[in-house]
Amino acid sequence: MTSITSAASMKLLDLRLKHSSSIITSSIGEFSRPDTQEIITLRSGGTIDLYEISVTDNDNDNDDEEEEEEKTTLKLISRLETRSVLRSLGVVRVSGGKRDVIVVGSDSGCLSVVDFEGGVGRVLHCPVFGKSLFIRVDPAA
């Protein structure tokens, strides 16, 4: 006996095999914790990446070199998939705050505020626009 599955019981999986490599814009700030410099990037696929700038000392076994070399690396802290077309990025520090939040503008005109407290991206404000809120005014009436 064969069973017929309805469209309501089907599940959809949206998974990207390879992330976008082109960066639209980037900014520097203190996003996940205070007193750390981090870089936030906005990628063309609607992805927001948070990188930490870490400086490490290279321990060389050679005693001849008196200069210590420092190695600067970027470490990915968080990646936030938005599934939208993002256009602009801004950094805002709330008065009295010790960390920065980002303001992201999308293709639809929506302005969202995203916080990366503890390295996890969380949307604080994202207004939803719908056609029920639009009112047409007829100048002839």
Side-chain angles (χ1 to χ4, degrees):
M1 177 177 232
T2 61
S3 64
I4 300 173
T5 58
S6 67
S9 66
M10 295 176 63
K11 304 291 183 199
L12 178 66
L13 176 65
D14 182 16
L15 180 66
R16 294 186 181 158
L17 298 177
K18 187 175 180 183
H19 295 285
S20 173
S21 62
S22 63
I23 295 175
I24 297 172
T25 184
S26 64
S27 187
I28 193 165
E30 300 173 356
F31 303 106
S32 63
R33 59 182 188 262
D35 300 328
T36 58
Q37 283 195 342
E38 296 162 336
I39 295 177
I40 194 131
T41 61
L42 199 67
R43 295 192 180 265
S44 63
T47 306
I48 303 172
D49 291 337
L50 178 65
Y51 294 97
E52 180 182 0
I53 302 172
S54 60
V55 178
T56 57
D57 294 332
N58 281 346
D59 295 331
N60 293 334
D61 294 334
N62 299 338
D63 293 333
D64 297 337
E65 296 182 21
E66 294 180 8
E67 298 178 9
E68 294 182 9
E69 295 182 14
E70 292 183 346
K71 183 178 179 183
T72 304
T73 58
L74 291 178
K75 178 183 172 186
L76 180 66
I77 295 177
S78 178
R79 175 172 283 146
L80 182 63
E81 296 280 343
T82 61
R83 308 281 194 258
S84 62
V85 179
L86 302 176
R87 297 288 183 199
S88 61
L89 170 77
V91 177
V92 177
R93 179 168 290 192
V94 181
S95 63
K98 295 181 179 178
R99 293 180 304 104
D100 299 325
V101 294
I102 63 168
V103 178
V104 180
S106 69
D107 194 32
S108 66
C110 182
L111 189 70
S112 302
V113 179
V114 181
D115 186 17
F116 280 95
E117 184 176 6
V120 179
R122 186 174 57 121
V123 178
L124 297 178
H125 177 71
C126 182
V128 178
F129 297 112
K131 290 190 176 183
S132 63
L133 297 177
F134 296 143
I135 299 173
R136 284 192 176 174
V137 178
D138 188 12

